[in-house]
Amino acid sequence: MLVLSRKKGESIVIQDQIELTILSVEGDIVKVGISAPKNVDIFRKEVYLSIQQSNRESVSPQKSDLNALMNRLRGGSTHKE
Protein backbone atom coordinates (compact mmCIF):
# COMPACT_ATOMS: atom_id res chain seq x y z
CA MET A 1 0.00 0.00 0.00
CA LEU A 2 1.25 3.42 -0.95
CA VAL A 3 0.84 5.95 1.88
CA LEU A 4 0.83 9.65 1.01
CA SER A 5 0.31 12.72 3.19
CA ARG A 6 -1.88 15.48 1.80
CA LYS A 7 -3.20 18.74 3.23
CA LYS A 8 -6.57 20.37 2.64
CA GLY A 9 -6.81 21.42 -1.02
CA GLU A 10 -4.05 19.06 -2.19
CA SER A 11 -4.68 16.24 -4.66
CA ILE A 12 -3.49 12.85 -5.82
CA VAL A 13 -3.77 11.82 -9.49
CA ILE A 14 -4.19 8.18 -10.56
CA GLN A 15 -3.46 7.22 -14.18
CA ASP A 16 -4.21 10.67 -15.65
CA GLN A 17 -7.97 10.11 -15.20
CA ILE A 18 -8.75 9.98 -11.48
CA GLU A 19 -8.08 12.85 -9.10
CA LEU A 20 -8.57 12.65 -5.34
CA THR A 21 -8.70 15.99 -3.56
CA ILE A 22 -8.71 16.51 0.20
CA LEU A 23 -11.64 18.85 0.81
CA SER A 24 -11.52 19.12 4.59
CA VAL A 25 -10.09 17.57 7.73
CA GLU A 26 -12.14 17.87 10.93
CA GLY A 27 -10.94 15.70 13.79
CA ASP A 28 -11.08 12.06 12.63
CA ILE A 29 -13.15 12.92 9.55
CA VAL A 30 -11.50 13.51 6.18
CA LYS A 31 -13.67 14.60 3.26
CA VAL A 32 -12.34 13.48 -0.11
CA GLY A 33 -13.53 14.68 -3.51
CA ILE A 34 -13.14 12.29 -6.41
CA SER A 35 -13.05 13.29 -10.08
CA ALA A 36 -13.19 10.32 -12.43
CA PRO A 37 -14.69 9.34 -15.78
CA LYS A 38 -18.38 8.40 -15.62
CA ASN A 39 -17.57 4.78 -16.53
CA VAL A 40 -15.56 4.36 -13.30
CA ASP A 41 -17.66 3.02 -10.43
CA ILE A 42 -16.83 4.53 -7.04
CA PHE A 43 -18.19 3.05 -3.81
CA ARG A 44 -17.47 3.25 -0.11
CA LYS A 45 -15.81 -0.04 0.79
CA GLU A 46 -18.68 -1.29 2.98
CA VAL A 47 -21.15 -0.68 0.13
CA TYR A 48 -18.83 -2.38 -2.37
CA LEU A 49 -18.48 -5.45 -0.14
CA SER A 50 -22.27 -5.60 0.32
CA ILE A 51 -22.80 -5.48 -3.45
CA GLN A 52 -20.25 -8.27 -3.95
CA GLN A 53 -21.97 -10.43 -1.33
CA SER A 54 -25.39 -9.85 -2.90
CA ASN A 55 -24.00 -10.75 -6.33
CA ARG A 56 -22.47 -13.97 -4.99
CA GLU A 57 -25.75 -14.93 -3.33
CA SER A 58 -27.79 -14.24 -6.47
CA VAL A 59 -25.65 -16.51 -8.65
CA SER A 60 -25.01 -19.33 -6.20
CA PRO A 61 -27.54 -22.11 -6.56
CA GLN A 62 -29.67 -22.98 -3.56
CA LYS A 63 -29.41 -26.51 -2.17
CA SER A 64 -33.08 -27.16 -3.03
CA ASP A 65 -32.43 -26.03 -6.62
CA LEU A 66 -29.49 -28.44 -6.88
CA ASN A 67 -31.57 -31.30 -5.48
CA ALA A 68 -34.36 -30.63 -7.99
CA LEU A 69 -31.87 -30.49 -10.85
CA MET A 70 -30.18 -33.73 -9.78
CA ASN A 71 -33.58 -35.40 -9.49
CA ARG A 72 -34.53 -34.27 -13.01
CA LEU A 73 -31.20 -35.46 -14.42
CA ARG A 74 -31.78 -38.86 -12.86
CA GLY A 75 -35.21 -39.00 -14.49
CA GLY A 76 -37.16 -38.56 -11.28
CA SER A 77 -40.13 -36.35 -10.57
CA THR A 78 -39.67 -32.87 -9.10
CA HIS A 79 -42.99 -32.96 -7.25
CA LYS A 80 -44.92 -35.37 -5.05
CA GLU A 81 -48.12 -36.89 -6.41
Side-chain angles (χ1 to χ4, degrees), residues 9-49:
E10 294 181 332
S11 299
I12 297 167
V13 176
I14 302 170
Q15 292 188 349
D16 297 327
Q17 295 184 338
I18 300 170
E19 183 175 356
L20 307 174
T21 303
I22 305 304
L23 301 177
S24 68
V25 181
E26 299 172 13
D28 290 345
I29 304 295
V30 177
K31 290 186 181 178
V32 178
I34 303 169
S35 296
K38 291 195 180 283
N39 66 325
V40 175
D41 293 328
I42 301 170
F43 301 102
R44 294 185 325 236
K45 186 172 183 177
E46 62 273 16
V47 171
Y48 177 75
L49 293 175

